[in-house]
Amino acid sequence: MLKYEVVVIGGGPAGLAAAIEAKKNGVQSILVIDRDRELGGILQQCIHNGFGLHVFKQELTGPEYAERFINELKEMDIAYKLDTMVLDISEDRVLSAINTKDGFMKIKAKAVILAMGCRERTRGAIAIPGTRPAGIFTAGTAQRYINMEGYMVGRRVVILGSGDIGLIMARRLTLEGAKVLAVAELMPFSSGLTRNIVQCLDDYNIPLLLNHTVIQIKGKNRVEAVVIAQVDNDKKPIPGTEKEFDCDTLLLSVGLIPENELSKSANVKLSHITGGPIVNESMETTVKGIFACGNVLHVHDLVDWVTKESQKAGKSAARFIKNQLKDSKDIVKTFAGDGVSYIVPHMIRTHNIEDTLDLLMRVKEVYKNSKLIVKADGKIIKEIYKKHMAPGEMERISIPSSILKEQRIREISVAIGKEGE
Amino acid sequence: MGCRLTVSKEENGYKVTGNSCKRGAAYGIKEMTNPTRVIPTTVKIRNGFLKRLPVKTNGSIPKELIFKCMEIINSVEVEAPVKIGDVIIENILGTGVDVVATKTMASISCKKI
């Protein structure tokens, strides 16, 4: 059996940052495992710019952002295995993995970091009626075809879903000479970043149809048309609003789901809201010594936050190995109040917090001129005024550890309040 | 993340509000007067680890030149290996901006990078 102190599953931005940080914190033997042919994860297909504004204070493309971390990993002599699939993780941190060179492997780890990212929801997940012709892609698959493999996916395109990948693909297809007829969005607002709506749709006069969805796909061998209709408040199509778009391609950007099949095999408890593991202040899951970070934990808006969260997971794994993470019965629970859909982390052992406790969350709707109200056992400890909040953009709140350690708090909640209340 | 800018036209130029740094003010005025964009795209690569090499303009170019730039970028084919930052097209359309590689790509003969 192979033995490592830390095994990181996934060589994307989360896995790379976690592995590097673990090494910086004194872990000697680390192995990163990835099922793809190169490190970098989905960043390699995200050739657009805008990454790294927070971490590097400059705008990088996905491959550039990845390459910085890949180089650092290699300079630090951290071992990695590519084209390798992890099949199973046990609760006592024994992994089964396989590739064509080493064959089947059992690997024992003192700490495991889950960094498998997320996967896209497909047509099946949203059950669009109609035939099943060629020409229906998830936005990410189309991105990989166009940006890495050199295949154009279509000429006349309709996109369903205005998440960031959908928006970015609208621009990408337009630049490559395709006609994007429309981006349809079920919700009354886009779930993408504002800058992407401006730079990907407005720049190219691509219409964004809010409160609309695809109700029919036509075509036998290849997509020939899709029918889009407006929806009412219950998200039901309104008869008489149907519009047919002649197109050869439909891209779906209808949400991402944390990829937690392996976490389940290790008995890691998942949150039904984020779809990712329930974690504590150290990014440790409900199974001792198994940590999680990045999109496997909850879907992020910016890779910069993935990096920061993963550094914490890497550092925590190092502290775990050195027996520096202390267990405690006094656990502070976080609670998503009115207007907030979730908060990560879910549980906090206050004495393990080093300087600040960072809470990451998403709000449920678009809020203007509102505030985030942080309460500890019902008492307000922080209020943050926000001109604009939207579900597409993650909110972060830092709470100094001094506030938490002084008092014996049992619950921290974050809710949305109107300005002036 | 980010700020929500409001740009209003005043007698002597534009006034930006809602920004939390100087960069935001400059960006707001630029969006109103001369919007520019960085173009991230790909070029064909021979003998490369992948079929496409990601590239970008290493500065922003006026929005109306985007499609003209794409025509030139699409006519180029490079040969692996390529290093990140290598200039692929110099001074595109006389803008003073270069198109550079955004990824190091080994040639197919040394498959693992």
Side-chain angles (χ1 to χ4, degrees):
Chain A
M1 184 152 29
L2 296 168
K3 280 183 184 153
Y4 287 91
E5 284 181 304
V6 172
V7 174
V8 181
I9 307 171
L16 292 170
I20 290 166
E21 201 64 19
K23 184 97 186 195
K24 282 184 183 164
N25 282 276
V27 179
Q28 283 311 310
S29 78
I30 303 172
L31 176 67
V32 178
I33 303 177
D34 199 279
R35 66 182 175 189
D36 207 344
R37 59 201 163 179
E38 64 180 329
L39 293 169
I42 298 305
L43 281 176
Q44 297 287 13
Q45 69 187 55
C46 299
I47 61 159
H48 52 278
N49 57 318
F51 299 96
L53 278 165
H54 297 270
V55 170
F56 296 113
K57 309 287 174 218
Q58 54 176 303
E59 271 196 65
L60 303 174
T61 66
E64 288 175 322
Y65 191 95
E67 201 160 315
R68 291 191 179 203
F69 286 93
I70 294 169
N71 289 344
E72 198 175 353
L73 185 101
K74 288 178 180 170
E75 278 159 21
M76 292 178 110
D77 250 333
I78 296 172
Y80 60 93
K81 283 184 189 294
L82 299 172
D83 295 310
T84 306
M85 192 80 186
V86 176
L87 305 170
D88 179 78
I89 313 167
S90 72
E91 239 172 298
D92 54 357
R93 304 186 293 280
V94 176
L95 288 80
S96 313
I98 195 162
N99 67 29
T100 50
K101 209 170 106 218
D102 303 298
F104 181 79
M105 293 166 276
K106 284 269 187 194
I107 307 166
K108 170 80 190 156
K110 282 186 185 164
V112 172
I113 300 175
L114 306 172
M116 295 89 80
C118 57
R119 57 168 58 193
E120 296 182 279
R121 296 215 302 157
T122 60
R123 176 182 177 182
I126 51 170
I128 305 173
T131 50
R132 300 184 61 188
I136 305 167
F137 302 88
T138 59
T141 299
Q143 190 176 47
R144 192 176 182 102
Y145 279 154
I146 296 173
N147 294 346
M148 296 173 78
E149 319 291 349
Y151 297 114
M152 188 60 177
V153 293
R155 288 288 150 202
R156 288 175 63 81
V157 186
V158 167
I159 298 177
L160 177 62
S162 63
D164 289 311
I165 324 168
L167 298 174
I168 282 159
M169 286 312 290
R171 171 177 63 187
R172 187 75 192 114
L173 283 156
T174 308
L175 281 181
E176 288 297 339
K179 173 86 185 150
V180 179
L181 304 169
V183 175
E185 168 63 56
L186 182 70
M187 304 299 282
F189 50 82
S190 163
S191 51
L193 299 173
T194 310
R195 70 162 183 235
N196 285 333
I197 295 169
V198 174
Q199 297 189 4
C200 300
L201 299 188
D202 299 354
D203 271 10
Y204 303 98
N205 300 315
I206 298 168
L208 172 61
L209 308 174
L210 298 174
N211 291 311
H212 277 75
T213 193
V214 171
I215 58 164
Q216 181 77 12
I217 297 170
K218 294 182 177 176
K220 195 173 174 214
N221 295 317
R222 177 81 194 189
V223 173
E224 283 164 17
V226 302
V227 181
I228 293 180
Q230 204 181 326
V231 296
D232 60 19
N233 288 339
D234 300 323
K235 311 279 174 253
K236 292 265 185 303
I238 303 171
T241 62
E242 300 87 357
K243 239 196 225 162
E244 191 165 320
F245 290 79
D246 286 326
C247 60
D248 55 26
T249 305
L250 173 67
L251 289 200
L252 300 172
S253 172
V254 293
L256 300 166
I257 311 162
E259 167 79 81
N260 278 290
E261 288 309 308
L262 282 174
S263 319
K264 284 183 202 162
S265 78
N267 248 335
V268 164
K269 253 196 209 136
L270 303 181
S271 150
H272 66 279
I273 299 168
T274 58
I278 287 171
V279 292
N280 62 25
E281 77 298 327
S282 306
M283 300 296 142
E284 188 181 18
T285 67
T286 51
V287 178
K288 229 179 171 8
I290 299 185
F291 299 78
C293 54
N295 283 355
V296 78
L297 179 53
H298 57 131
V299 177
H300 293 61
D301 54 348
L302 297 181
V303 73
D304 300 68
W305 308 143
V306 168
T307 297
K308 289 191 174 166
E309 181 180 278
S310 306
Q311 286 168 338
K312 177 170 279 176
K315 190 172 187 187
S316 300
R319 287 172 77 194
F320 173 80
I321 288 166
K322 291 183 260 175
N323 274 322
Q324 289 169 357
L325 284 185
K326 293 280 171 286
D327 256 336
S328 161
K329 280 187 191 129
D330 288 330
I331 288 171
V332 182
K333 291 205 166 149
T334 61
F335 174 75
D338 284 348
V340 177
S341 52
Y342 72 82
I343 301 175
V344 167
H346 312 79
M347 318 173 276
I348 300 145
R349 299 169 299 183
T350 44
H351 44 266
N352 286 323
I353 301 172
E354 293 192 299
D355 26 291
T356 59
L357 169 68
D358 294 323
L359 300 175
L360 297 176
M361 67 207 69
R362 280 183 191 270
V363 298
K364 284 184 181 160
E365 291 167 42
V366 174
Y367 297 96
K368 289 203 164 101
N369 298 320
S370 308
K371 52 191 176 179
L372 287 166
I373 304 168
V374 188
K375 286 183 184 172
D377 291 337
K379 218 174 75 194
I380 295 177
I381 55 168
K382 201 167 186 169
E383 285 189 314
I384 303 156
Y385 170 72
K386 294 271 174 181
K387 219 174 170 183
H388 180 93
M389 286 185 282
E393 304 191 1
M394 245 167 56
E395 299 295 333
R396 295 158 52 88
I397 299 177
S398 274
I399 300 170
S401 61
S402 53
I403 293 184
L404 303 168
K405 283 177 184 166
E406 278 164 20
Q407 315 158 28
R408 281 208 143 188
I409 299 166
R410 310 195 69 118
E411 183 186 277
I412 292 178
S413 70
V414 183
I416 291 186
K418 274 266 167 286
E419 182 60 7
E421 266 172 26
Chain B
M1 69 135 268
C3 310
R4 297 183 78 80
L5 304 178
T6 310
V7 185
S8 48
K9 197 162 186 185
E10 306 248 306
E11 272 170 45
N12 42 2
Y14 292 91
K15 194 186 164 202
V16 182
T17 51
N19 56 308
S20 54
C21 69
K22 278 185 187 166
R23 254 175 96 155
Y27 175 81
I29 291 168
K30 215 170 167 201
E31 275 297 287
M32 296 305 290
T33 53
N34 174 31
T36 60
R37 297 283 182 265
V38 167
I39 313 178
T41 180
T42 59
V43 295
K44 285 183 202 160
I45 185 163
R46 264 189 310 268
N47 203 24
F49 173 73
L50 300 174
K51 294 273 170 40
R52 286 293 182 280
L53 173 75
V55 298
K56 70 173 183 187
T57 52
N58 66 358
S60 49
I61 58 148
K63 240 161 74 167
E64 64 271 15
L65 290 181
I66 290 176
F67 285 98
K68 267 193 184 157
C69 281
M70 281 304 293
E71 266 175 43
I72 297 170
I73 292 167
N74 285 341
S75 67
V76 167
E77 192 170 346
V78 297
E79 176 90 30
V82 174
K83 266 194 128 161
I84 193 166
D86 279 359
V87 175
I88 305 298
I89 303 166
E90 214 172 301
N91 187 18
I92 192 162
L93 289 173
T95 52
V97 168
D98 298 334
V99 175
V100 298
T102 56
K103 181 179 166 75
T104 298
M105 200 176 292
S107 59
I108 202 123
S109 44
C110 47
K111 228 182 158 191
K112 293 278 179 279
I113 54 167

Short mmCIF file of all heavy atoms in Angstrom, two decimals, chain A residues 80-101:
data_model
loop_
_atom_site.label_atom_id
_atom_site.label_comp_id
_atom_site.label_asym_id
_atom_site.label_seq_id
_atom_site.Cartn_x
_atom_site.Cartn_y
_atom_site.Cartn_z
N TYR A 80 2.32 14.15 -8.22
CA TYR A 80 0.96 14.08 -8.75
C TYR A 80 0.84 12.94 -9.75
O TYR A 80 1.81 12.53 -10.36
CB TYR A 80 0.56 15.41 -9.40
CG TYR A 80 1.42 15.86 -10.54
CD1 TYR A 80 1.09 15.54 -11.86
CD2 TYR A 80 2.57 16.62 -10.32
CE1 TYR A 80 1.87 15.96 -12.92
CE2 TYR A 80 3.37 17.03 -11.37
CZ TYR A 80 3.02 16.70 -12.67
OH TYR A 80 3.81 17.11 -13.71
N LYS A 81 -0.35 12.41 -9.84
CA LYS A 81 -0.65 11.36 -10.81
C LYS A 81 -1.79 11.83 -11.70
O LYS A 81 -2.84 12.23 -11.20
CB LYS A 81 -1.07 10.08 -10.09
CG LYS A 81 0.07 9.29 -9.47
CD LYS A 81 -0.45 7.99 -8.87
CE LYS A 81 0.63 7.29 -8.06
NZ LYS A 81 1.77 6.82 -8.88
N LEU A 82 -1.56 11.79 -13.03
CA LEU A 82 -2.59 12.19 -13.98
C LEU A 82 -3.27 10.94 -14.54
O LEU A 82 -2.82 9.83 -14.29
CB LEU A 82 -1.96 13.00 -15.12
CG LEU A 82 -1.28 14.31 -14.69
CD1 LEU A 82 -0.53 14.92 -15.85
CD2 LEU A 82 -2.31 15.27 -14.11
N ASP A 83 -4.33 11.16 -15.32
CA ASP A 83 -5.07 10.04 -15.93
C ASP A 83 -5.41 8.98 -14.89
O ASP A 83 -5.42 7.78 -15.19
CB ASP A 83 -4.26 9.40 -17.06
CG ASP A 83 -4.04 10.36 -18.22
OD1 ASP A 83 -5.04 10.95 -18.67
OD2 ASP A 83 -2.88 10.51 -18.65
N THR A 84 -5.62 9.41 -13.69
CA THR A 84 -5.83 8.47 -12.58
C THR A 84 -7.19 8.72 -11.94
O THR A 84 -7.54 9.84 -11.62
CB THR A 84 -4.73 8.65 -11.51
OG1 THR A 84 -3.46 8.51 -12.16
CG2 THR A 84 -4.85 7.61 -10.41
N MET A 85 -7.91 7.65 -11.79
CA MET A 85 -9.28 7.75 -11.28
C MET A 85 -9.31 7.20 -9.85
O MET A 85 -8.87 6.08 -9.63
CB MET A 85 -10.16 6.88 -12.20
CG MET A 85 -11.62 7.08 -12.02
SD MET A 85 -12.12 8.57 -12.89
CE MET A 85 -13.81 8.62 -12.34
N VAL A 86 -9.81 8.00 -8.93
CA VAL A 86 -10.03 7.48 -7.58
C VAL A 86 -11.40 6.80 -7.59
O VAL A 86 -12.39 7.38 -8.06
CB VAL A 86 -9.99 8.61 -6.53
CG1 VAL A 86 -10.33 8.06 -5.14
CG2 VAL A 86 -8.62 9.26 -6.52
N LEU A 87 -11.43 5.58 -7.13
CA LEU A 87 -12.67 4.80 -7.21
C LEU A 87 -13.45 4.84 -5.91
O LEU A 87 -14.67 4.75 -5.89
CB LEU A 87 -12.35 3.33 -7.54
CG LEU A 87 -11.51 3.12 -8.80
CD1 LEU A 87 -11.05 1.67 -8.88
CD2 LEU A 87 -12.31 3.49 -10.03
N ASP A 88 -12.69 4.96 -4.80
CA ASP A 88 -13.35 4.82 -3.51
C ASP A 88 -12.47 5.42 -2.42
O ASP A 88 -11.24 5.40 -2.52
CB ASP A 88 -13.55 3.31 -3.26
CG ASP A 88 -14.20 3.04 -1.92
OD1 ASP A 88 -15.43 3.21 -1.84
OD2 ASP A 88 -13.49 2.67 -0.97
N ILE A 89 -13.11 5.97 -1.41
CA ILE A 89 -12.38 6.42 -0.21
C ILE A 89 -13.09 5.80 0.98
O ILE A 89 -14.31 5.86 1.06
CB ILE A 89 -12.44 7.95 -0.01
CG1 ILE A 89 -12.13 8.69 -1.31
CG2 ILE A 89 -11.49 8.39 1.09
CD1 ILE A 89 -12.49 10.18 -1.22
N SER A 90 -12.31 5.23 1.89
CA SER A 90 -12.95 4.69 3.08
C SER A 90 -12.89 5.71 4.20
O SER A 90 -12.12 6.67 4.14
CB SER A 90 -12.27 3.39 3.51
OG SER A 90 -11.01 3.70 4.06
N GLU A 91 -13.69 5.46 5.23
CA GLU A 91 -13.76 6.40 6.34
C GLU A 91 -12.41 6.54 7.06
O GLU A 91 -12.13 7.58 7.64
CB GLU A 91 -14.82 5.93 7.34
CG GLU A 91 -15.91 6.94 7.55
CD GLU A 91 -17.04 6.38 8.38
OE1 GLU A 91 -17.69 5.39 7.95
OE2 GLU A 91 -17.28 6.92 9.45
N ASP A 92 -11.60 5.48 7.00
CA ASP A 92 -10.28 5.59 7.65
C ASP A 92 -9.20 6.02 6.65
O ASP A 92 -8.02 5.79 6.84
CB ASP A 92 -9.90 4.29 8.38
CG ASP A 92 -10.00 3.09 7.47
OD1 ASP A 92 -10.41 3.26 6.30
OD2 ASP A 92 -9.66 1.98 7.91
N ARG A 93 -9.63 6.65 5.58
CA ARG A 93 -8.75 7.34 4.63
C ARG A 93 -7.82 6.42 3.85
O ARG A 93 -6.66 6.69 3.64
CB ARG A 93 -7.96 8.44 5.36
CG ARG A 93 -8.88 9.43 6.09
CD ARG A 93 -8.15 10.57 6.68
NE ARG A 93 -7.26 10.24 7.78
CZ ARG A 93 -7.68 10.03 9.03
NH1 ARG A 93 -8.95 10.15 9.33
NH2 ARG A 93 -6.81 9.72 9.97
N VAL A 94 -8.39 5.30 3.41
CA VAL A 94 -7.69 4.45 2.45
C VAL A 94 -8.40 4.64 1.10
O VAL A 94 -9.61 4.49 1.00
CB VAL A 94 -7.72 2.96 2.86
CG1 VAL A 94 -7.07 2.10 1.77
CG2 VAL A 94 -7.00 2.77 4.19
N LEU A 95 -7.61 5.00 0.10
CA LEU A 95 -8.19 5.27 -1.22
C LEU A 95 -7.90 4.10 -2.17
O LEU A 95 -6.83 3.49 -2.09
CB LEU A 95 -7.56 6.52 -1.84
CG LEU A 95 -7.92 7.89 -1.27
CD1 LEU A 95 -7.13 8.16 -0.02
CD2 LEU A 95 -7.65 8.95 -2.30
N SER A 96 -8.84 3.82 -3.06
CA SER A 96 -8.57 2.93 -4.18
C SER A 96 -8.51 3.80 -5.42
O SER A 96 -9.39 4.63 -5.63
CB SER A 96 -9.68 1.90 -4.37
OG SER A 96 -10.02 1.32 -3.14
N ALA A 97 -7.48 3.59 -6.21
CA ALA A 97 -7.35 4.39 -7.43
C ALA A 97 -6.80 3.52 -8.55
O ALA A 97 -6.23 2.44 -8.28
CB ALA A 97 -6.43 5.58 -7.20
N ILE A 98 -6.99 3.96 -9.78
CA ILE A 98 -6.54 3.13 -10.90
C ILE A 98 -6.05 4.01 -12.05
O ILE A 98 -6.59 5.10 -12.28
CB ILE A 98 -7.68 2.19 -11.35
CG1 ILE A 98 -7.16 1.08 -12.24
CG2 ILE A 98 -8.82 2.95 -12.01
CD1 ILE A 98 -8.12 -0.09 -12.37
N ASN A 99 -4.98 3.56 -12.71
CA ASN A 99 -4.59 4.15 -13.99
C ASN A 99 -3.91 3.08 -14.82
O ASN A 99 -3.71 1.95 -14.35
CB ASN A 99 -3.71 5.40 -13.80
CG ASN A 99 -2.35 5.09 -13.20
OD1 ASN A 99 -1.80 4.00 -13.38
ND2 ASN A 99 -1.79 6.05 -12.48
N THR A 100 -3.56 3.42 -16.06
CA THR A 100 -3.05 2.36 -16.94
C THR A 100 -1.58 2.03 -16.66
O THR A 100 -1.09 0.99 -17.09
CB THR A 100 -3.19 2.78 -18.42
OG1 THR A 100 -2.65 4.08 -18.56
CG2 THR A 100 -4.64 2.77 -18.85
N LYS A 101 -0.86 2.90 -15.97
CA LYS A 101 0.57 2.66 -15.72
C LYS A 101 0.78 1.87 -14.42
O LYS A 101 1.47 0.86 -14.38
CB LYS A 101 1.30 4.00 -15.65
CG LYS A 101 2.75 3.91 -16.08
CD LYS A 101 3.37 5.29 -16.23
CE LYS A 101 4.30 5.55 -15.06
NZ LYS A 101 4.26 6.94 -14.58
#
